[in-house]
Amino acid sequence: MRKISLFVVLLFLVSCSEEVYDAIPDNPELAFVIPEGFPAVNPAALRNKPTKYGIELGEKLFFDPRLSRDNSIACATCHIQTAAFADHQLKAVGIEGKVGLRNVPPIQNMLFMRYYNWDGSKLQLENQVIVPLITPEEMHSSIFEVIGKIQDDPAYRTLFKKVFGDEQMTDERIYKSIAQYEYSLISANSKYDQVKRKEALFNQEEQFGYEVFQTNCINCHSGELFTDQSFRNIGFPVNPNRDEAGRARVTGDLKDYMSFRVPSLRNIEFTAPYGSFGQFQTLQEVLDYMDHGVLASANLDPIFKENENRLPLTEDEKEALISFMKTLSDFSFIGK
């Protein structure tokens, strides 16, 4: 079975879930060492305490193609470990080759996120799990179909009993187990982290890139997640799909039109293409676009609007900035 290293320490103290489970003596609660400087965990995680077998069950479900209607794709089909649990498609590709609305975001440090999906439509990871399962362009299934497929599987029956004390399979139990597995995917061992822990040093170009980052990027990509988790319109090319409106799809407010959640820069080296629908193939293309001038709009982020719709950078600054961003690559996390 595929494994991700877990940082274990006592953190989760209370459970407020709708379904209350009796403690299972042989299924110990697990929690995570919070890397230094990381933000507080999403409160939903405090209501879904991870357990040894809960994470194992979630991992098994995550890699099971039976979650899709035609048994052709699993969560792991689009969320590939070597790509920091993203993929390299412009947009998500589901069953029968159907193409979705947006680029697949990476799954990393979900434990600390306040919003999920590009438009922040979900506030709890447990509620996000259902989205790809029922979306026609993704798995196009239902939780009832999934339960029907796995309810007689001896391995699942054993795991459900280890986790919950009986073999009953419910939607809530499935969602919570997958969320527990995703909560365990913590990335905090890049060269940047090693430098911070005084275990390594930046080379000259990386140090220059870090200084360029502090001057030009820190307003949006702040904190140890390298995202302030805000929603911004930064003038990227607009998705031609008329169903797209960015954050405005959630809020109904035109002020949020084509605003998207600021992505984390952790493991950015592994997650090309970039942008909400894969507008850019390389980091160089992203920086060149910002330098040459982004699309003007009424709600363009002030960082660009107040600077002639540009983020001006020299070629040396771009090269150094990319070198710094590559120090955010966590090779242990992607399994290399």
Short mmCIF file of all heavy atoms in Angstrom, two decimals, residues 245-268:
data_model
loop_
_atom_site.label_atom_id
_atom_site.label_comp_id
_atom_site.label_asym_id
_atom_site.label_seq_id
_atom_site.Cartn_x
_atom_site.Cartn_y
_atom_site.Cartn_z
N ALA A 245 -16.79 31.87 -13.65
CA ALA A 245 -16.90 33.23 -13.12
C ALA A 245 -15.99 33.41 -11.91
O ALA A 245 -16.03 34.43 -11.25
CB ALA A 245 -18.33 33.55 -12.74
N GLY A 246 -15.18 32.37 -11.62
CA GLY A 246 -14.30 32.46 -10.47
C GLY A 246 -15.08 32.45 -9.17
O GLY A 246 -16.11 31.80 -9.03
N ARG A 247 -14.60 33.21 -8.21
CA ARG A 247 -15.23 33.28 -6.89
C ARG A 247 -16.68 33.75 -6.96
O ARG A 247 -17.49 33.42 -6.10
CB ARG A 247 -14.39 34.21 -6.00
CG ARG A 247 -14.93 34.44 -4.59
CD ARG A 247 -14.86 33.22 -3.73
NE ARG A 247 -15.18 33.51 -2.34
CZ ARG A 247 -15.49 32.60 -1.43
NH1 ARG A 247 -15.52 31.32 -1.77
NH2 ARG A 247 -15.76 32.94 -0.19
N ALA A 248 -17.01 34.51 -8.00
CA ALA A 248 -18.38 35.01 -8.15
C ALA A 248 -19.38 33.88 -8.33
O ALA A 248 -20.57 34.07 -8.07
CB ALA A 248 -18.46 35.97 -9.34
N ARG A 249 -18.93 32.70 -8.76
CA ARG A 249 -19.84 31.54 -8.84
C ARG A 249 -20.37 31.16 -7.47
O ARG A 249 -21.44 30.58 -7.35
CB ARG A 249 -19.10 30.34 -9.45
CG ARG A 249 -19.02 30.35 -10.97
CD ARG A 249 -18.05 29.29 -11.47
NE ARG A 249 -18.36 27.95 -11.02
CZ ARG A 249 -19.02 27.02 -11.74
NH1 ARG A 249 -19.45 27.32 -12.96
NH2 ARG A 249 -19.22 25.82 -11.26
N VAL A 250 -19.60 31.50 -6.44
CA VAL A 250 -19.98 31.16 -5.06
C VAL A 250 -20.72 32.31 -4.41
O VAL A 250 -21.76 32.12 -3.77
CB VAL A 250 -18.72 30.80 -4.24
CG1 VAL A 250 -19.09 30.50 -2.78
CG2 VAL A 250 -18.00 29.61 -4.87
N THR A 251 -20.20 33.53 -4.58
CA THR A 251 -20.75 34.67 -3.84
C THR A 251 -21.86 35.39 -4.59
O THR A 251 -22.68 36.09 -3.96
CB THR A 251 -19.64 35.69 -3.54
OG1 THR A 251 -19.16 36.25 -4.79
CG2 THR A 251 -18.49 35.04 -2.80
N GLY A 252 -21.88 35.25 -5.92
CA GLY A 252 -22.84 35.99 -6.72
C GLY A 252 -22.52 37.47 -6.82
O GLY A 252 -23.34 38.26 -7.31
N ASP A 253 -21.33 37.87 -6.40
CA ASP A 253 -20.93 39.26 -6.38
C ASP A 253 -19.98 39.54 -7.54
O ASP A 253 -18.94 38.88 -7.65
CB ASP A 253 -20.25 39.57 -5.05
CG ASP A 253 -20.01 41.05 -4.82
OD1 ASP A 253 -19.96 41.81 -5.81
OD2 ASP A 253 -19.86 41.45 -3.65
N LEU A 254 -20.31 40.50 -8.39
CA LEU A 254 -19.46 40.83 -9.53
C LEU A 254 -18.08 41.31 -9.10
O LEU A 254 -17.13 41.23 -9.88
CB LEU A 254 -20.13 41.89 -10.40
CG LEU A 254 -21.28 41.39 -11.30
CD1 LEU A 254 -21.90 42.56 -12.05
CD2 LEU A 254 -20.78 40.33 -12.27
N LYS A 255 -17.95 41.78 -7.89
CA LYS A 255 -16.64 42.18 -7.41
C LYS A 255 -15.68 40.99 -7.32
O LYS A 255 -14.46 41.17 -7.26
CB LYS A 255 -16.76 42.85 -6.04
CG LYS A 255 -17.47 44.20 -6.07
CD LYS A 255 -17.55 44.80 -4.69
CE LYS A 255 -18.27 46.14 -4.73
NZ LYS A 255 -18.40 46.74 -3.37
N ASP A 256 -16.25 39.78 -7.31
CA ASP A 256 -15.44 38.57 -7.23
C ASP A 256 -15.25 37.91 -8.59
O ASP A 256 -14.70 36.80 -8.67
CB ASP A 256 -16.09 37.56 -6.27
CG ASP A 256 -16.09 38.05 -4.84
OD1 ASP A 256 -15.11 38.70 -4.43
OD2 ASP A 256 -17.08 37.79 -4.12
N TYR A 257 -15.70 38.55 -9.65
CA TYR A 257 -15.63 37.94 -10.98
C TYR A 257 -14.19 37.63 -11.37
O TYR A 257 -13.30 38.48 -11.29
CB TYR A 257 -16.26 38.88 -12.01
CG TYR A 257 -16.34 38.29 -13.41
CD1 TYR A 257 -17.19 37.22 -13.68
CD2 TYR A 257 -15.55 38.79 -14.44
CE1 TYR A 257 -17.26 36.69 -14.95
CE2 TYR A 257 -15.62 38.26 -15.71
CZ TYR A 257 -16.48 37.20 -15.97
OH TYR A 257 -16.54 36.65 -17.23
N MET A 258 -13.96 36.39 -11.75
CA MET A 258 -12.66 35.88 -12.17
C MET A 258 -11.57 36.02 -11.10
O MET A 258 -10.38 36.05 -11.40
CB MET A 258 -12.19 36.52 -13.48
CG MET A 258 -13.04 36.13 -14.67
SD MET A 258 -13.10 34.33 -14.92
CE MET A 258 -14.35 34.21 -16.21
N SER A 259 -12.01 36.09 -9.86
CA SER A 259 -11.06 36.01 -8.74
C SER A 259 -10.95 34.54 -8.32
O SER A 259 -11.95 33.82 -8.27
CB SER A 259 -11.54 36.84 -7.55
OG SER A 259 -11.54 38.22 -7.87
N PHE A 260 -9.73 34.12 -8.03
CA PHE A 260 -9.48 32.74 -7.64
C PHE A 260 -8.62 32.70 -6.38
O PHE A 260 -7.91 33.66 -6.07
CB PHE A 260 -8.78 31.98 -8.77
CG PHE A 260 -9.61 31.86 -10.02
CD1 PHE A 260 -9.49 32.79 -11.03
CD2 PHE A 260 -10.52 30.82 -10.16
CE1 PHE A 260 -10.26 32.69 -12.19
CE2 PHE A 260 -11.30 30.72 -11.30
CZ PHE A 260 -11.16 31.66 -12.32
N ARG A 261 -8.72 31.59 -5.68
CA ARG A 261 -7.90 31.40 -4.47
C ARG A 261 -6.42 31.45 -4.85
O ARG A 261 -5.98 30.79 -5.78
CB ARG A 261 -8.25 30.06 -3.82
CG ARG A 261 -7.45 29.75 -2.56
CD ARG A 261 -8.00 28.50 -1.87
NE ARG A 261 -8.11 27.37 -2.77
CZ ARG A 261 -7.10 26.56 -3.09
NH1 ARG A 261 -5.88 26.78 -2.62
NH2 ARG A 261 -7.30 25.53 -3.89
N VAL A 262 -5.66 32.22 -4.10
CA VAL A 262 -4.22 32.30 -4.34
C VAL A 262 -3.61 30.93 -4.07
O VAL A 262 -3.74 30.40 -2.96
CB VAL A 262 -3.57 33.36 -3.43
CG1 VAL A 262 -2.04 33.32 -3.57
CG2 VAL A 262 -4.11 34.74 -3.74
N PRO A 263 -2.96 30.31 -5.05
CA PRO A 263 -2.41 28.97 -4.84
C PRO A 263 -1.15 29.00 -3.99
O PRO A 263 -0.40 29.99 -3.99
CB PRO A 263 -2.09 28.49 -6.27
CG PRO A 263 -1.79 29.76 -7.00
CD PRO A 263 -2.71 30.80 -6.42
N SER A 264 -0.92 27.93 -3.28
CA SER A 264 0.35 27.77 -2.58
C SER A 264 1.46 27.60 -3.61
O SER A 264 1.27 27.00 -4.67
CB SER A 264 0.28 26.53 -1.68
OG SER A 264 1.58 26.23 -1.16
N LEU A 265 2.63 28.13 -3.28
CA LEU A 265 3.80 27.93 -4.16
C LEU A 265 4.61 26.71 -3.76
O LEU A 265 5.58 26.37 -4.45
CB LEU A 265 4.69 29.17 -4.12
CG LEU A 265 4.08 30.46 -4.68
CD1 LEU A 265 5.10 31.59 -4.63
CD2 LEU A 265 3.58 30.26 -6.11
N ARG A 266 4.23 26.05 -2.69
CA ARG A 266 4.95 24.83 -2.33
C ARG A 266 4.80 23.78 -3.44
O ARG A 266 3.71 23.57 -3.95
CB ARG A 266 4.45 24.28 -0.99
CG ARG A 266 4.98 25.07 0.21
CD ARG A 266 4.62 24.41 1.52
NE ARG A 266 5.23 25.10 2.64
CZ ARG A 266 6.43 24.82 3.15
NH1 ARG A 266 7.14 23.84 2.62
NH2 ARG A 266 6.92 25.52 4.17
N ASN A 267 5.93 23.18 -3.79
CA ASN A 267 5.98 22.14 -4.82
C ASN A 267 5.54 22.64 -6.19
O ASN A 267 5.13 21.86 -7.05
CB ASN A 267 5.16 20.91 -4.40
CG ASN A 267 5.73 20.25 -3.17
OD1 ASN A 267 6.90 19.89 -3.14
ND2 ASN A 267 4.92 20.08 -2.14
N ILE A 268 5.64 23.96 -6.40
CA ILE A 268 5.19 24.55 -7.66
C ILE A 268 5.96 23.98 -8.85
O ILE A 268 5.44 23.90 -9.97
CB ILE A 268 5.34 26.10 -7.59
CG1 ILE A 268 4.59 26.79 -8.73
CG2 ILE A 268 6.79 26.51 -7.56
CD1 ILE A 268 3.12 26.80 -8.57
#
